[in-house]
Amino acid sequence: MSKFESSIKQIPYSQKAVYNSISNLENLERVRDRVPEDKVKDFRFDHDSVSVNVPPVGELRLRIINREEPKCVKFETEQSPIPFNLWIQVLPVTETTCKMKVTVEAELNMFIRGMVSGPLQDGVEKIADALAMVPYE
């Protein structure tokens, strides 16, 4: 297994507020206007799943497979060129702030690992950056 972890992001909202938001994917409606349409197409979601088309990667569909309130939400791919799991960990710092880390774990052979390690690490960091900027009110 290959693991890719984001840097730890400080978030100026409580652990509970962040967890409540990321554990219900319908809350993505609040950030729909921030999704760059030139990089992501067909952005769809419901309570438990999210789907996007990312050229040249293609269709990606993730489903929540586990919620550990209030600290972690785990996802699994339903459709992806490379099957992977993704989880978002949220830990309290104070009563009104928390920290977050995004992790992706994928089974990659050595050939594929060499080709996708850089883009995957970059993608994990971008997801964490985007989640750190969301207003969790």
Side-chain angles (χ1 to χ4, degrees):
M1 285 288 194
S2 297
K3 189 181 278 189
F4 304 89
E5 296 178 328
S6 73
S7 57
I8 295 172
K9 306 297 180 183
Q10 300 297 319
I11 302 179
Y13 296 95
S14 71
Q15 177 189 29
K16 183 172 177 52
V18 174
Y19 175 84
N20 287 343
S21 186
I22 64 173
S23 65
N24 177 356
L25 297 178
E26 290 171 339
N27 290 319
L28 289 171
E29 187 62 47
R30 297 188 313 206
V31 296
R32 181 185 287 274
D33 60 336
R34 295 183 187 186
V35 176
E37 290 186 30
D38 60 324
K39 298 193 188 312
V40 174
K41 300 183 182 337
D42 303 325
F43 183 49
R44 299 179 308 279
F45 48 87
D46 58 30
H47 183 77
D48 293 318
S49 66
V50 60
S51 174
V52 296
N53 191 320
V54 183
V57 175
E59 176 104 9
L60 295 175
R61 189 167 43 242
L62 296 166
R63 173 167 298 284
I64 293 176
I65 58 168
N66 193 12
R67 292 174 174 93
E68 294 176 39
E69 187 173 354
K71 61 183 178 179
C72 188
V73 179
K74 295 182 181 181
F75 298 80
E76 180 177 78
T77 54
E78 289 189 325
Q79 182 173 342
S80 171
I82 299 170
F84 63 89
N85 288 333
L86 177 146
W87 58 96
I88 304 167
Q89 295 168 284
V90 184
L91 295 172
V93 175
T94 68
E95 286 191 23
T96 58
T97 65
C98 65
K99 57 187 177 179
M100 173 190 291
K101 181 170 80 172
V102 177
T103 304
V104 167
E105 193 171 73
E107 184 128 3
L108 305 173
N109 66 41
M110 290 196 20
F111 176 72
I112 295 292
R113 186 180 308 133
M115 292 184 354
V116 302
S117 287
L120 259 175
Q121 183 62 51
D122 188 48
V124 167
E125 198 63 38
K126 285 181 179 174
I127 291 168
D129 287 341
L131 289 171
M133 292 188 288
V134 171
Y136 293 101
E137 311 180 286

